[in-house]
Amino acid sequence: MTKKEMIAMLLAGGQGSRLGVLTARMAKPAVAFGGKYRIIDFALSNCINSGIDTVGVLTQYEPLRLNTHIGIGIPWDLDRNFGGVTVLPPYEKMANTEWYTGTANAIYQNMEYMENYNPEYVLILSGDHIYKMDYENMLSYHKASGADVTIAVMPVPIEEARRFGIMITDENGRVVDFEEKPEQPRSNLASMGIYIFNFDVLREALRAGASQPGLDFGKHIIPWCRDKGCSLFAWRFDGYWKDVGTLTSYWQANMELINIVPEFNLYEEYWKIYTKNMPLPPQYIGKSALVERSIIGEGAEIFGTVRNSVIGCGVVVGEGTEIRDSIIMNDCNIGRNCSIDRLIAAEEVTVGDGVRTGVGEEVPNETDPHIYKGGLCTIGEQSVIPDGVSIGKNTMIFGVTKASDYQNGGLESGRTLMRA
């Protein structure tokens, strides 16, 4: 049997509920990012840049958009006769049929896929983080340390450590203990959810935990490996890494791309981020348009003013409109004479003339205050906003709305509006 040294298993099936309406019709890894990319592009690009040519992508929630984007992997040079990229949804079996119930359960259900390549090592990844990482460096560390399992970690401020799985290591990097979201953390080394396993160890651990409901790496597999005396090491990563799991972190990560010296640089020649590119015309900047410190996607037509914003492909911004501190995703149409502030507009949103967003005082959202916050206005894909309305902060709109849906011509801060 032909053998691969290391294959990657990329977990991309999560709903991403903390992104609210942005994931109403797609999985979080399929959400647009940075004007032309989707979130999953970063993990896939890391794989091919690291020399990994066999990637299983495990999908579940609303997979159509993600599957269409990945295709046969051509943009990432992952269209291979042996290996390449393979989309792995849950499937019906003779004995029983079940959804993926946990991160490790999803991997366990695809044991046959992994065994087909007989790898020495298996790299476990998440499809919803923004970062650049050379997995070859992590593998070299794994080999040199004689590890059975290597966990990628990064230092976080100690006051934030309670939000993560925390690794306690000795002076050689060996994991001597770990704590899941501890109240009193003993270390600031947070697990990134990136693992390299010796395949024989992974296979034994998954089979041992197969009957465990919601089988998970952090809660079940890593503790099992520790209790069995496996050699666990932590590999320290000091680069940029962002979990864009909330609307505010997603907005912040996009805004960081347009800093004068961006912490996360999309323009490096030696570590390119690849994506599926549609055949679009060049962007057009009108005679009276003004663009300051912004990313403008291909095929966009700008006739107004754009400041400090990320504008996706095929977006039209009308004359007299000013957009500030906003994310406007692909194929949106923003009308004339609008004042748009701190807006996240999902794909194919239509905003009428004279619309204002970000007005009024900031109050908590009435339905999901833990999601719609940070003074943002969030509009779900294919929604329509009528002419002349004013929209407050911490608001969410989803659907084709009419002027009669807005009391006194506006949507107050903290309100939610959903229409069929």
Side-chain angles (χ1 to χ4, degrees):
M1 180 185 294
T2 306
K3 188 182 181 85
K4 293 280 187 181
E5 182 182 34
M6 184 163 77
I7 66 172
M9 300 294 280
L10 202 166
L11 296 157
Q15 179 180 355
S17 58
R18 292 179 300 157
L19 285 180
V21 74
L22 298 188
T23 53
R25 295 175 179 168
M26 70 177 79
K28 180 165 64 169
V31 172
F33 184 85
K36 65 176 291 183
Y37 305 100
R38 297 192 184 272
I39 294 172
I40 198 172
D41 291 338
F42 297 88
L44 287 173
S45 297
N46 286 341
C47 284
I48 200 63
N49 287 332
S50 301
I52 299 169
D53 65 2
T54 304
V55 184
V57 180
L58 288 76
T59 64
Q60 180 160 286
Y61 172 80
E62 291 284 0
L64 179 60
R65 199 79 57 89
L66 192 60
N67 295 353
T68 302
H69 179 68
I70 294 170
I72 60 172
I74 291 174
W76 305 273
D77 192 26
L78 288 170
D79 51 326
R80 308 294 178 96
N81 289 330
F82 184 68
V85 67
T86 305
V87 176
L88 300 169
Y91 60 94
E92 188 170 1
K93 311 170 185 67
M94 288 186 66
N96 67 321
T97 299
E98 62 177 15
W99 291 105
Y100 297 150
T101 60
T103 56
N105 174 266
I107 303 295
Y108 173 71
Q109 289 198 46
N110 288 282
M111 185 69 72
E112 184 178 352
Y113 169 81
M114 294 186 290
E115 289 178 333
N116 184 52
Y117 296 104
N118 191 25
E120 267 187 81
Y121 310 102
V122 177
L123 172 68
I124 309 294
L125 302 171
S126 173
D128 52 12
H129 297 147
I130 305 298
Y131 68 112
K132 297 177 183 178
M133 180 185 288
D134 190 341
Y135 304 130
E136 276 292 318
N137 292 338
M138 185 176 174
L139 180 59
S140 296
Y141 177 87
H142 179 84
K143 293 176 180 177
S145 60
D148 295 311
V149 185
T150 296
I151 304 159
V153 299
M154 68 179 303
V156 298
I158 194 69
E159 60 271 16
E160 295 182 20
R162 67 183 63 183
R163 299 194 296 112
F164 298 91
I166 295 298
M167 303 292 140
I168 294 96
T169 63
D170 64 16
E171 64 276 8
N172 297 316
R174 183 185 295 271
V175 176
V176 295
D177 200 4
F178 56 87
E179 305 165 321
E180 186 66 25
K181 299 181 179 178
E183 280 300 313
Q184 300 293 329
R186 292 184 282 150
S187 162
N188 71 332
L189 291 179
S191 170
M192 301 172 68
I194 299 170
Y195 312 99
I196 291 179
F197 283 84
N198 291 349
F199 182 45
D200 56 346
V201 172
L202 176 63
R203 179 165 44 197
E204 185 181 357
L206 291 174
R207 287 174 174 168
S211 60
Q212 172 69 49
L215 188 63
D216 181 82
F217 280 100
K219 294 178 182 176
H220 305 119
I221 298 300
I222 300 301
W224 184 91
C225 291
R226 175 196 59 189
D227 295 344
K228 281 291 183 178
C230 296
S231 178
L232 274 64
F233 277 80
W235 180 71
R236 185 170 173 140
F237 178 70
D238 291 315
Y240 180 97
W241 179 82
K242 181 78 77 172
D243 180 351
V244 289
T246 67
L247 280 176
T248 48
S249 65
Y250 173 80
W251 177 82
Q252 182 183 26
N254 273 274
M255 294 300 102
E256 287 171 350
L257 296 176
I258 52 182
N259 288 337
I260 294 174
V261 182
E263 190 176 351
F264 187 74
N265 190 349
L266 291 173
Y267 302 94
E268 292 171 331
E269 277 294 318
Y270 73 93
W271 200 269
K272 292 182 178 179
I273 305 300
Y274 301 95
T275 191
K276 179 181 180 181
N277 285 310
M278 302 302 291
L280 292 169
Q283 56 187 231
Y284 177 78
I285 310 298
K287 182 178 179 180
S288 59
L290 174 64
V291 176
E292 290 183 354
R293 207 172 75 163
S294 297
I295 289 173
I296 310 293
E298 295 100 325
E301 299 178 24
I302 311 298
F303 299 97
T305 298
V306 178
R307 304 180 195 272
N308 204 56
S309 295
V310 175
I311 306 297
C313 300
V315 170
V316 177
V317 177
E319 290 183 8
T321 286
E322 182 167 349
I323 297 176
R324 300 172 299 274
D325 302 325
S326 295
I327 303 166
I328 312 296
M329 298 188 202
N330 298 349
D331 299 316
C332 288
N333 194 316
I334 311 297
R336 299 181 179 186
N337 302 316
C338 297
S339 177
I340 305 297
D341 189 44
R342 293 174 76 90
L343 170 65
I344 300 178
E347 298 179 39
E348 299 181 25
V349 164
T350 300
V351 174
D353 296 340
V355 170
R356 297 189 300 148
T357 70
V359 302
E361 298 294 321
E362 185 172 339
V363 299
N365 183 266
E366 60 185 354
T367 54
D368 292 296
H370 61 293
I371 294 177
Y372 303 108
K373 56 184 182 178
L376 298 168
C377 169
T378 307
I379 304 177
E381 69 174 339
Q382 297 181 341
S383 296
V384 176
I385 311 300
D387 295 346
V389 301
S390 297
I391 302 169
K393 300 171 181 176
N394 299 336
T395 49
M396 187 275 276
I397 301 172
F398 189 32
V400 178
T401 63
K402 302 176 181 179
S404 57
D405 295 324
Y406 298 81
Q407 294 183 359
N408 300 318
L411 185 69
E412 295 179 359
S413 293
R415 301 298 298 274
T416 295
L417 175 58
M418 299 186 71
R419 288 288 180 265

